[in-house]
C-alpha cells in the first residue's frame, strides 16, 4: 500500500472516530398545543374528563359579575369552566364532595423520525377561587396538578371577603416521553366541626385559558463532528492535488 493511500485511510478513520466520540447536541422540535378546548368554547366532554359538579359558564354569568363571596368580580371576559357550583352565584349547591376536570395527552417517543431525548412543557392557565369558610370548618381546597406534581393549592380558610385570582405560568423540563394528565380539583369534603355555625358560604372555582405547549429535544450532529468531516474532506483534497503533481 503506498503512503498516500495510507494517509487517506488515516484521515477517514480519524474523522469517523471524532464523529463517534463527540456527544450529540439536542435539537428542538415544537409539538405545539397539547390541550383541547382550553378556552372552554365547547362542551367539556369529550376533551375533558369530569367528576362531580363541573360546567361551562359564559363570561357575563352571575358568578362572574357578583362581588365578594358571591362571585369572581368579573375576572373572566369569555366562557370559562366552573367547579363546585350548580347555581348562579357562589353559595348554591353542591356544598360538599369533590369536583374535577382533567385532560390526558401523550408525548411520543419519536418525532419526525427522530428519537426524543426529553420534553419541555410550558403550562399556563387562569383561575379564580371564591367563597369562605369559618374557623369551624377545615376549609375547601382548590388545586391544580400535573401528574403527581402539585402546581398550586389554595385553602378557602385563608380568604379575605374577595376572590383570589391566580394567573399561572411554569415551564417543566426534562420530561420523558409518556402519558401525562393535567387536573383541576375542588375538594369540598372538609369536616364541619360545628354544624350550627352558619358563618361560612359555599365555594366555587373558575378556570380559563388552559394551555400546555410541548417542545421535544432530539439528537442532531454536533459541531465538532461536522468539523471532523470537513477536515477529512480538506485532507483528501490536498492528497489528490499532491498525487496529480507527482504524475
Amino acid at each position: 500500500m503506498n503512503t498516500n493511500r495510507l494517509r487517506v485511510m488515516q484521515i477517514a478513520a480519524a474523522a469517523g472516530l471524532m464523529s463517534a466520540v463527540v456527544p450529540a447536541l439536542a435539537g428542538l422540535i415544537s409539538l405545539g398545543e397539547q390541550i383541547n378546548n382550553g378556552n372552554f368554547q365547547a362542551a367539556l366532554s369529550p376533551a375533558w374528563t369530569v367528576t362531580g359538579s363541573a360546567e361551562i359558564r359564559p363570561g357575563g354569568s352571575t358568578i362572574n359579575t357578583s362581588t365578594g363571596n358571591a362571585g369572581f368580580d368579573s375576572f373572566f371576559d369569555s366562557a370559562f369552566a366552573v367547579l363546585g357550583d350548580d347555581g348562579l352565584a357562589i353559595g348554591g349547591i353542591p356544598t360538599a364532595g369533590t369536583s374535577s376536570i382533567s385532560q390526558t395527552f401523550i408525548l411520543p417517543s419519536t418525532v419526525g423520525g427522530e428519537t426524543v431525548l426529553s420534553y419541555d412543557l410550558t403550562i399556563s392557565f387562569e383561575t379564580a377561587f371564591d367563597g369562605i369558610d369559618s374557623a369551624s370548618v377545615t376549609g375547601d381546597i382548590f388545586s391544580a396538578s400535573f401528574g403527581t406534581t402539585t402546581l398550586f393549592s389554595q385553602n378557602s380558610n385563608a380568604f379575605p371577603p374577595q376572590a383570589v385570582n391566580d394567573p399561572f405560568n411554569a415551564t417543566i423540563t426534562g420530561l420523558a416521553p409518556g402519558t401525562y394528565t393535567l387536573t383541576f380539583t375542588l375538594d369540598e369534603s372538609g369536616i364541619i366541626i360545628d354544624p350550627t355555625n352558619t358563618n361560612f358560604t359555599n365555594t366555587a372555582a373558575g378556570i380559563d385559558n388552559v394551555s400546555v405547549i410541548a417542545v421535544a429535544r432530539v439528537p442532531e450532529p454536533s459541531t465538532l463532528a461536522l468539523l471532523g468531516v470537513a477536515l477529512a474532506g480538506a485532507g483528501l483534497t490536498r492528497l489528490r492535488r499532491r498525487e496529480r503533481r507527482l504524475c
Side-chain angles (χ1 to χ4, degrees):
M1 180 180 297
N2 63 40
T3 302
N4 286 343
R5 289 186 179 179
L6 179 59
R7 288 178 180 174
V8 170
M9 293 179 65
Q10 289 172 338
I11 292 172
L17 178 61
M18 184 177 292
S19 299
V21 298
V22 176
L25 298 176
L28 302 179
I29 300 178
S30 176
L31 273 68
E33 183 63 69
Q34 302 299 298
I35 293 294
N36 294 317
N37 193 26
N39 292 324
F40 303 108
Q41 299 301 307
L44 286 172
S45 181
W48 294 91
T49 298
V50 177
T51 63
S53 173
E55 62 184 17
I56 294 178
R57 302 272 185 91
S61 67
T62 301
I63 199 172
N64 193 40
T65 57
S66 302
T67 59
N69 293 323
F72 297 141
D73 301 329
S74 303
F75 182 57
F76 300 107
D77 295 328
S78 59
F80 60 101
V82 172
L83 299 180
D85 196 275
D86 289 335
L88 295 176
I90 296 172
I93 58 172
T95 59
T98 300
S99 303
S100 70
I101 59 172
S102 62
Q103 191 165 148
T104 298
F105 55 90
I106 298 174
L107 299 178
S109 58
T110 60
V111 175
E114 298 287 348
T115 299
V116 176
L117 300 174
S118 65
Y119 281 94
D120 296 343
L121 293 187
T122 300
I123 302 174
S124 61
F125 48 80
E126 296 176 348
T127 64
F129 183 27
D130 204 5
I132 191 168
D133 289 322
S134 71
S136 65
V137 183
T138 58
D140 298 341
I141 299 174
F142 175 44
S143 63
S145 60
F146 179 70
T148 59
T149 300
T150 299
L151 301 177
F152 78 83
S153 181
Q154 296 174 324
N155 189 305
S156 62
N157 276 343
F159 281 175
Q162 293 292 326
V164 175
N165 301 331
D166 288 300
F168 181 91
N169 187 285
T171 298
I172 301 176
T173 62
L175 287 173
T179 301
Y180 294 91
T181 302
L182 178 66
T183 304
F184 297 90
T185 303
L186 175 58
D187 184 354
E188 298 182 280
S189 59
I191 299 173
I192 300 177
I193 299 173
D194 181 7
T196 65
N197 189 332
T198 59
N199 186 29
F200 67 91
T201 66
N202 191 15
T203 56
I207 307 157
D208 200 10
N209 298 321
V210 183
S211 175
V212 176
I213 303 297
V215 175
R217 294 182 176 272
V218 299
E220 65 179 7
S222 73
T223 302
L224 288 178
L226 292 176
L227 178 60
V229 174
L231 290 175
L236 292 173
T237 300
R238 286 196 298 270
L239 286 175
R240 287 170 181 167
R241 289 174 179 172
R242 183 179 303 173
E243 287 179 342
R244 292 193 188 99
R245 289 197 298 267
L246 294 175
C247 292

